[in-house]
């Protein structure tokens, strides 16, 4: 496996890192999603956590670490990317006004009308790249270049639950109230995280998200 690194993190975690791959390489994220699915299905791991360009897998039995490193290295190129079947989600959004405190500022800054801003943000399919920052907080890739802005220089202390936000090359939804430095476009009533459900996080790595404008 010459194009990724595979190493131990402590005694029980295995990290598969693909940061060294060129951006033009065949869909590395899809292969990482396939790797997660394969490791999950083995029953040997407590948790398998994908990130932007890596997967960290936590073993139930640390004695299997060497064997799993060898398996991953041997099967990396054979992972069936086509077997990964993402779930598609349509997330209804109330844009602007009291629902998105940065909406008008962003429209002015990007020289867009409110309608153009909404159309741009809701015109594409986003893919869940990884979950982080908060339980159920999904980093959604696919944000149109015309909407890409750096994060705020000064975060705010209370971002409302369900806020739809953008920053850098991502969009996201805040699953709960928290501090945050992303630009807020709107809000959804969709529950993103429920610890009492079978799958606590609604959005899973590899899933596809489409935002749909909703009127009050």
């Amino acid at each position: 496996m010459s194009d990724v690194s595979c190493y131990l993190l402590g005694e029980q975690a295995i990290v598969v890192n693909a940061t060294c791959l060129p951006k033009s390489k065949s869909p590395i994220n899809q292969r990482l999603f396939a790797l997660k699915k394969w490791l999950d299905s083995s029953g040997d791991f407590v948790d398998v956590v994908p990130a932007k360009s890596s997967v960290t897998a936590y073993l139930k039995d640390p004695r299997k670490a060497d064997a799993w490193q060898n398996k991953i290295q041997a099967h990396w190129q054979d992972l069936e990317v086509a077997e990964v079947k993402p779930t598609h989600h349509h997330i209804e959004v109330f844009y602007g006004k009291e629902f998105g405190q940065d909406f008008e500022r962003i429209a002015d800054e990007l020289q867009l009308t409110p309608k153009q801003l909404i159309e741009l943000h809701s015109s594409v399919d986003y893919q869940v790249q990884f979950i982080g920052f908060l339980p159920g907080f999904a980093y959604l890739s696919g944000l149109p270049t015309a909407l890409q802005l750096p994060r705020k220089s000064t975060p705010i202390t209370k971002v409302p639950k369900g806020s739809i936000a953008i920053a850098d090359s991502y969009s996201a939804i805040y699953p709960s109230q928290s501090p945050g430095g992303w630009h807020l476009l709107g809000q959804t009533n969709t529950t993103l995280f429920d610890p009492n459900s079978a799958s606590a996080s609604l959005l899973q790595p590899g899933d596809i998200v489409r935002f749909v404008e909703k009127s009050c």
Side-chain angles (χ1 to χ4, degrees), residues 20 32 37 66 69 119 140 142 151 163 174 183 201 213:
C20 60
L32 290 173
K37 181 179 179 180
D66 288 342
Q69 272 190 286
E119 288 179 346
L140 308 175
R151 298 186 188 192
S163 290
Y174 282 78
H183 307 277
S201 178
E213 180 184 9

Side-chain angles (χ1 to χ4, degrees), residues 9-24:
L9 182 66
E11 296 182 351
Q12 287 186 259
I14 300 172
V15 179
V16 181
N17 194 316
T19 55
C20 60
L21 289 177
K23 291 184 179 179
S24 60

Side-chain angles (χ1 to χ4, degrees), residues 177-199:
Q177 178 179 289
S178 77
W182 292 43
H183 307 277
L184 309 181
L185 296 183
Q187 201 166 1
T188 183
N189 291 326
T190 301
T191 298
L192 277 295
F193 183 77
D194 180 359
N196 298 315
S197 66
S199 178

Side-chain angles (χ1 to χ4, degrees), residues 51-108:
K52 183 176 181 180
S53 53
S54 66
V55 167
T56 303
Y58 297 88
L59 280 158
K60 295 177 181 177
D61 184 351
R63 293 173 296 181
K64 295 183 178 182
D66 288 342
W68 266 109
Q69 272 190 286
N70 292 332
K71 284 183 184 180
I72 293 169
Q73 289 172 338
H75 292 287
W76 169 256
Q77 296 293 351
D78 300 324
L79 289 170
E80 294 294 334
V81 175
E83 289 186 1
V84 179
K85 305 296 184 185
T87 300
H88 289 251
H89 305 267
H90 284 81
I91 304 294
E92 294 184 335
V93 183
F94 297 98
Y95 284 100
K97 299 179 182 178
E98 70 270 27
F99 303 106
Q101 69 177 54
D102 301 315
F103 183 89
E104 291 185 5
R105 175 183 57 79
I106 292 172
D108 289 341

Side-chain angles (χ1 to χ4, degrees), residues 12-49:
Q12 287 186 259
I14 300 172
V15 179
V16 181
N17 194 316
T19 55
C20 60
L21 289 177
K23 291 184 179 179
S24 60
K25 190 82 173 179
S26 152
I28 185 60
N29 287 323
Q30 295 300 112
R31 193 167 294 278
L32 290 173
F33 298 150
L35 174 63
K36 171 179 167 55
K37 181 179 179 180
W38 177 51
L39 297 180
D40 279 336
S41 68
S42 72
D44 277 351
F45 297 90
V46 176
D47 198 10
V48 180
V49 183

Side-chain angles (χ1 to χ4, degrees), residues 160-179:
K161 176 182 178 180
S163 290
I164 309 297
I166 58 174
D168 300 322
S169 60
Y170 294 101
S171 191
I173 312 168
Y174 282 78
S176 57
Q177 178 179 289
S178 77

